[in-house]
Amino acid sequence: MTLEDKIGFTKIRELLAAECTNTLAVRMTQDMAFSNRYDRVVRELQQTEEFRQILVLENSFPSQDFIDLTDELIRLKIAGSVIELQALSDLKSSLHTIGECLRFLLRDDPIKYPYLHELATHVDLDPAITKALNKIVDDRGEIYDNASPDLMEIRHLMNKKRADVDVQLSRQLARAKREGWAPENAEATIRNGRMVIPMLDTHRRKIKGLIHDESATRQTAYLEPSEVVELNNDLRELEFAERHEIQRILAHFTDMIRPQIDSLVNAYWFLARIDFIRAKARLALTLHAGRPIVDSITKINWLDARHPLLYLNHKGDVVPFNIELNDDRHILIVSGPNAGGKSVCLKAVGLIQYMLQCGMLVPCRETSEFGIFDSIFIDIGDQQSIDNDLSTYTSHLQNMKHLLETADANTLFLLDELGGGTEPRSGCAIAEALLEELYRRHAFGVVTTHYADLKLLADRYPGIMNGAMLFDTEKMMPLYRLSIGHPGSSFAFEIAKNVGFPESILKAAGEKVGGEMLNFEHQLQQIELDKQEIARQRTELEVADNFLSEVTEKYQQMTEKLESKRFDILSNARREAQKIIADANRTVEQTISDIREAQAERERTLQARQRMKAEGERIASAQEKHEEQIKEVVKNHRPDKVHSAGAALQETDTDAEAPIVLGSIVKIDGQDTFGQVVELKGKKAVVESNSIRMTIALSRLVGTKKKAIPSDKTSRTNNRFQSIYDDINEKRKSFNPTIDLRGQRADEALANLSHFLDDAQLLSEKELRILHGKGYGILKQLIREWLQGNRDVKSFHAERIELGGDGITVVHLH
């Protein structure tokens, strides 16, 4: 069994060949080989990626008549050989396809598909060949009447003779029907290539002529009237002349193209190559495969990789996996339960890497990183050989010997159930020594095992790491999910219990193994569960910390805004008061002047007093108006929490401020929250309150002389944190990272998008998808211009073509 059989690449070849329509392209799939040349791999990947884009985006690329004529053309190199009429028809249609491919790829914009464009530049076709074909043969594969003057004359005579035959046959058939010598529904027909009329057997001699056939019942004879015999003889001679003339035309055309056979063969190689690349692109679309990042060094950093054949067999319902191997950590030891997916994962690594180095797109995220290996080695399955008198373990040892002879830093090895097939202690020791040697050679590899000693290698060598295929201990079933960083458990006892194995046998086996071993297995799983839970809690705490810091900052900004507004209002009030006083002084002076001029007349004095009263009322009204403005500003810009923060600040005014050092009890400015400084970071401090840590600027902290956090305040803070925590959890449950803005007005869409990004920032989401559709592109342009000016947006781009293309924008947040 070859490496391609072991990893499943043979099936990939079959699927690829099924996508080809050209026989030479099918041979190319059989000749496709693993390459360690970086430039060649990149070129073939890019050619396939460009054609994948053509299949998705373009409609004008030809899709039929990818006919291979290389064998026929090579035959025509022999002097005296003549092209067949069917080959001539295929030549015309396939050369038309080649011409359409060249026109598409060599059009004015070569940058769009540069690698396919470069492939097309090596094809040189003489337009005289196509011109000659268009004069000789039509689209149905028949020779034109005017292909030569002689052929035109021959066919003209043939048409005249056929018309004469039809006239004579019609006349004799009408006579036979009239006399009752032929059936009433009789029609002229052909027997032995001659035109005949059906006659009743009893009247076959009534008309002179030749009998060519009779019916199965012997009741009908097929007669060629003597008047038609000579005409049919002339017609047969003209048909012979027609064939000879067509043969002469074909020979002349063959002689014309014979000097250009090599360039034609090259053109048909190009056509086959295009069909081969198209087949790879079609298969890539079926597998949802893409072009990853490729580097010339040895490395593996795959994201959301999927086993191609499993993906097809299970219609896409496959658990993806992430894996990273680099210079620092280059050997992965995978453990886990039986039937948990270890071997499938191993084969997937080999198959995906092999596909890439054969120039095929691979089923993983396009941001994945691939390196180039000189060789891939795999040892998997039962390789017992009766013919060679080899046991399974002996066969494995021979494979390991071959690996040791060739392995180096550019080798990728894949070893399944390493150390198995023999006495466990000896097998494990040999496996351990083998891995240590491969580690020293800096070879890259993935190994599956159940041996605990091999799992412990990761603790001794920094370049070796453990991986586990996870298992659901509640449902007692494998999850088929690879987790790197810790060893897995075999769960032999749990699986045996789940299948109904006798409890007494399991109990006896447990006693033989010992409690420590069982505890070790359970601790491995528990460590992973604890690790995941700690990671989840850490994420939630970071979200809560960021949220509280953001809320605190907003309150601080609101307080500063209030103070600024208050200062502006007071300043305006002072200026207005000064103006009122000045106006009042002028009114008083004018009143005194009027009284003096009127010499204290009663009516004039009364009028002056009324003006004084009116001015006083105006001043009072202006004062009330300013007071109302102040109240309104305070109401709109000072929320309840700011009031409570102000009250809390007043309560602590009696506490003398103290410098902020490590361990200080501090109060957050603008809130009633106390906390302890656990870390200082330049102009910021990490404050812990009720087990919640927040990073806050020192300018927003007030130092106190308290020795401990007040308990009543802690209770209130805890309640508020719990409320925020619950709100965040509720938001996370219902949050969808994709928003659909299709059909919305611009202002409505931008408002919804703003809320959407706010929620994403709160929940620490980093990647979002905005569905706006294509249409005329107006909404898309507005949204992208808005994103361009948003400081929370790190970058954005159109979605992958097969997932929606330019109708969806993918956004990455800071």
Side-chain angles (χ1 to χ4, degrees):
M1 183 180 290
T2 65
L3 180 143
E4 292 189 359
D5 294 328
K6 293 176 183 178
I7 62 178
F9 191 75
T10 304
K11 180 63 177 176
I12 295 293
R13 280 190 194 275
E14 295 173 0
L15 293 172
L16 189 58
E19 295 287 351
C20 297
T21 59
N22 183 290
T23 53
L24 180 56
V26 173
R27 292 204 296 270
M28 287 180 177
T29 66
Q30 297 166 354
D31 296 337
M32 179 175 59
F34 177 89
S35 174
N36 59 2
R37 287 175 48 194
Y38 172 76
D39 56 342
R40 177 179 175 180
V41 171
V42 170
R43 182 177 66 252
E44 295 193 1
L45 286 175
Q46 195 59 37
Q47 288 174 350
T48 308
E49 172 60 19
E50 288 179 1
F51 212 107
R52 185 175 72 96
Q53 295 178 21
I54 290 175
L55 292 177
V56 174
L57 299 175
E58 307 283 356
N59 295 319
S60 58
F61 198 87
S63 59
Q64 61 184 11
D65 294 328
F66 281 75
I67 305 169
D68 175 33
L69 290 177
T70 51
D71 292 340
E72 176 70 7
L73 291 170
I74 292 172
R75 183 184 70 82
L76 296 180
K77 280 188 172 184
I78 303 172
S81 59
V82 178
I83 190 169
E84 299 290 338
L85 183 57
Q86 181 60 48
L88 185 74
S89 176
D90 291 342
L91 183 69
K92 179 181 179 180
S93 57
S94 55
L95 280 180
H96 176 74
T97 299
I98 294 173
E100 289 296 310
C101 292
L102 293 176
R103 276 187 287 274
F104 182 92
L105 297 175
L106 296 176
R107 55 191 180 182
D108 295 336
D109 187 12
I111 300 176
K112 193 170 185 181
Y113 306 112
Y115 283 81
L116 293 176
H117 174 272
E118 192 274 337
L119 190 65
T121 57
H122 299 289
V123 180
D124 182 22
L125 275 181
D126 187 352
I129 297 176
T130 304
K131 187 176 181 180
L133 283 168
N134 290 333
K135 289 183 178 180
I136 295 173
V137 64
D138 62 17
D139 293 337
R140 296 172 297 176
E142 297 179 0
I143 302 296
Y144 283 118
D145 293 347
N146 60 356
S148 74
D150 290 344
L151 182 62
M152 179 175 285
E153 177 65 21
I154 291 170
R155 286 187 173 173
H156 174 72
L157 294 174
M158 289 175 67
N159 291 334
K160 187 175 182 303
K161 292 292 182 183
R162 286 194 184 101
D164 293 341
V165 169
D166 290 342
V167 170
Q168 291 295 331
L169 279 176
S170 298
R171 183 180 300 165
Q172 294 297 332
L173 182 60
R175 178 189 172 196
K177 287 182 179 181
R178 187 171 61 250
E179 298 293 340
W181 301 336
E184 286 295 329
N185 60 348
E187 297 291 341
T189 185
I190 296 176
R191 287 292 186 274
N192 299 325
R194 313 281 285 196
M195 295 295 294
V196 297
I197 59 175
M199 299 283 290
L200 295 175
D201 188 64
T202 54
H203 302 290
R204 67 166 62 189
R205 298 298 179 187
K206 298 291 180 154
I207 298 177
K208 292 182 180 180
L210 298 176
I211 302 296
H212 284 280
D213 198 4
E214 60 182 17
S215 66
T217 59
R218 301 176 64 90
Q219 293 182 359
T220 303
Y222 294 95
L223 173 73
E224 182 183 12
S226 58
E227 293 85 352
V228 179
V229 170
E230 191 64 30
L231 292 174
N232 274 334
N233 288 340
D234 293 342
L235 190 60
R236 181 60 60 89
E237 289 180 3
L238 288 172
E239 289 174 350
F240 288 146
E242 178 191 36
R243 282 200 292 270
H244 286 308
E245 180 59 20
I246 289 175
Q247 192 68 12
R248 188 194 67 78
I249 293 171
L250 296 179
H252 177 72
F253 176 78
T254 304
D255 292 339
M256 185 195 81
I257 68 170
R258 186 171 287 115
Q260 302 186 58
I261 291 294
D262 289 338
S263 64
L264 285 172
V265 169
N266 179 59
Y268 277 90
W269 179 90
F270 163 77
L271 185 65
R273 186 70 186 176
I274 289 294
D275 190 52
F276 172 63
I277 296 170
R278 181 177 65 171
K280 291 198 292 183
R282 283 176 172 173
L283 185 58
L285 290 175
T286 303
L287 295 173
H288 279 78
R291 186 202 183 287
I293 300 168
V294 182
D295 205 337
S296 58
I297 62 174
T298 50
K299 66 188 299 187
I300 288 178
N301 185 12
W302 302 351
L303 304 173
D304 293 339
R306 303 175 301 276
H307 193 297
L309 299 179
L310 278 183
Y311 184 83
L312 290 178
N313 294 336
H314 292 80
K315 298 180 179 180
D317 186 19
V318 175
V319 179
F321 65 92
N322 299 340
I323 181 172
E324 181 177 7
L325 301 178
N326 51 45
D327 287 338
D328 296 329
R329 308 187 76 182
H330 50 93
I331 296 179
L332 174 65
I333 299 176
V334 181
S335 50
N338 290 313
K342 298 190 302 298
S343 298
V344 172
C345 179
L346 190 82
K347 290 181 179 180
V349 172
L351 179 56
I352 293 173
Q353 184 67 38
Y354 198 88
M355 285 175 63
L356 179 108
Q357 293 194 229
C358 285
M360 299 183 67
L361 303 183
V362 289
C364 62
R365 202 185 301 173
E366 291 185 344
T367 52
S368 301
E369 299 177 22
F370 281 69
I372 301 296
F373 293 91
D374 286 346
S375 60
I376 298 178
F377 179 91
I378 187 167
D379 182 66
I380 189 170
D382 184 0
Q383 302 177 49
Q384 185 175 10
S385 174
I386 297 176
D387 295 335
N388 297 326
D389 194 26
L390 293 176
S391 69
T392 299
Y393 186 66
T394 305
S395 177
H396 285 309
L397 287 178
Q398 287 196 345
N399 290 337
M400 296 305 103
K401 176 186 174 185
H402 175 67
L403 173 61
L404 289 172
E405 290 171 352
T406 59
D408 57 22
N410 296 315
T411 300
L412 174 64
F413 63 87
L414 307 166
L415 308 177
D416 189 38
E417 301 294 353
L418 183 61
T422 187
E423 190 272 321
R425 182 171 297 179
S426 301
C428 183
I430 294 175
E432 188 174 344
L434 173 68
L435 282 181
E436 289 174 340
E437 176 60 24
L438 294 172
Y439 173 78
R440 282 190 288 271
R441 297 187 187 185
H442 211 78
F444 284 65
V446 180
V447 177
T448 68
T449 187
H450 288 282
Y451 290 142
D453 288 351
L454 296 184
K455 302 174 189 178
L456 296 175
L457 286 175
D459 295 331
R460 304 206 307 266
Y461 299 100
I464 299 178
M465 54 187 166
N466 278 310
M469 302 305 298
L470 300 183
F471 188 83
D472 190 332
T473 55
E474 295 182 359
K475 297 181 180 178
M476 299 306 297
M477 60 182 294
L479 298 174
Y480 305 109
R481 191 166 70 240
L482 175 64
S483 176
I484 295 178
H486 61 88
S489 170
S490 297
F491 290 99
F493 282 83
E494 288 79 356
I495 294 174
K497 184 177 181 180
N498 192 46
V499 301
F501 212 71
E503 188 68 31
S504 58
I505 302 295
L506 292 177
K507 184 177 179 181
E511 293 174 354
K512 293 179 180 295
V513 171
E516 292 183 0
M517 181 62 187
L518 291 178
N519 289 336
F520 175 71
E521 294 284 343
H522 285 287
Q523 286 170 5
L524 288 177
Q525 178 76 6
Q526 190 60 42
I527 287 172
E528 171 59 15
L529 295 176
D530 291 346
K531 181 180 177 181
Q532 292 181 358
E533 179 63 21
I534 291 171
R536 184 187 66 80
Q537 291 180 359
R538 180 184 299 164
T539 301
E540 291 174 349
L541 287 175
E542 288 177 354
V543 170
D545 182 17
N546 293 335
F547 176 73
L548 288 175
S549 298
E550 183 180 349
V551 170
T552 304
E553 184 176 353
K554 286 182 178 179
Y555 284 151
Q556 180 69 20
Q557 292 173 356
M558 290 170 67
T559 303
E560 293 173 356
K561 188 175 181 180
L562 171 63
E563 291 298 328
S564 176
K565 284 280 187 181
R566 187 174 165 197
F567 175 79
D568 292 342
I569 290 173
L570 290 175
S571 298
N572 291 335
R574 289 191 186 97
R575 286 194 295 270
E576 187 67 22
Q578 290 172 358
K579 183 176 179 298
I580 290 171
I581 292 171
D583 292 343
N585 288 333
R586 283 194 296 271
T587 302
V588 171
E589 291 173 359
Q590 182 64 39
T591 302
I592 294 172
S593 175
D594 290 346
I595 291 173
R596 287 175 178 172
E597 290 177 0
Q599 296 179 353
E601 290 182 9
R602 179 176 178 85
E603 291 183 2
R604 298 282 297 274
T605 303
L606 183 59
Q607 291 176 357
R609 287 179 177 175
Q610 288 175 346
R611 286 199 302 270
M612 288 288 291
K613 182 178 180 182
E615 185 65 19
E617 290 175 352
R618 188 181 71 81
I619 293 173
S621 175
Q623 183 177 358
E624 289 180 2
K625 182 178 178 181
H626 282 293
E627 288 177 354
E628 288 297 327
Q629 288 179 346
I630 293 174
K631 289 180 180 178
E632 186 67 23
V633 170
V634 171
K635 178 181 178 181
N636 292 335
H637 295 276
R638 191 171 184 123
D640 293 341
K641 291 186 178 180
V642 177
H643 278 300
S644 62
L649 283 172
Q650 290 177 2
E651 290 174 10
T652 58
D653 280 344
T654 55
D655 292 335
E657 292 190 9
I660 299 174
V661 297
L662 195 64
S664 295
I665 304 299
V666 295
K667 189 176 187 304
I668 300 173
D669 189 16
Q671 296 189 35
D672 58 348
T673 303
F674 285 88
Q676 185 174 20
V677 177
V678 296
E679 186 178 353
L680 291 171
K681 296 181 177 180
K683 295 182 179 181
K684 295 183 178 181
V686 179
V687 179
E688 181 175 320
S689 179
N690 194 34
S691 301
I692 304 294
R693 293 193 174 191
M694 300 174 288
T695 302
I696 305 175
L698 289 172
S699 60
R700 290 169 49 202
L701 297 177
V702 179
T704 71
K705 292 186 177 181
K706 296 182 182 296
K707 301 300 182 182
I709 300 174
S711 58
D712 56 333
K713 305 288 185 183
T714 302
S715 176
R716 290 200 300 271
T717 302
N718 183 41
N719 291 336
R720 185 164 66 256
F721 281 7
Q722 185 61 42
S723 174
I724 293 170
Y725 180 78
D726 293 341
D727 289 344
I728 292 172
N729 275 341
E730 287 301 318
K731 271 188 175 292
R732 183 176 288 109
K733 290 177 184 177
S734 60
F735 183 75
N736 185 350
T738 299
I739 184 172
D740 189 350
L741 301 178
R742 291 177 296 179
Q744 298 183 14
R745 299 189 310 275
D747 54 348
E748 180 186 6
L750 293 181
N752 291 335
L753 180 59
S754 178
H755 291 308
F756 178 61
L757 258 65
D758 288 343
D759 289 344
Q761 284 286 86
L762 174 63
L763 300 176
S764 296
E765 292 286 340
K766 298 301 181 186
E767 184 173 300
L768 308 173
R769 298 170 79 250
I770 303 171
L771 179 58
H772 44 63
K774 297 180 181 177
Y776 294 104
I778 298 173
L779 183 59
K780 175 189 72 177
Q781 182 178 354
L782 286 173
I783 288 173
R784 292 185 175 176
E785 287 177 356
W786 187 88
L787 292 172
Q788 189 74 36
N790 192 308
R791 62 182 182 180
D792 294 329
V793 176
K794 180 179 180 182
S795 63
F796 60 87
H797 57 82
E799 180 58 280
R800 285 172 52 180
I801 296 170
E802 66 273 15
L803 299 180
D806 220 28
I808 299 174
T809 297
V810 179
V811 180
H812 300 277
L813 302 180
H814 287 290

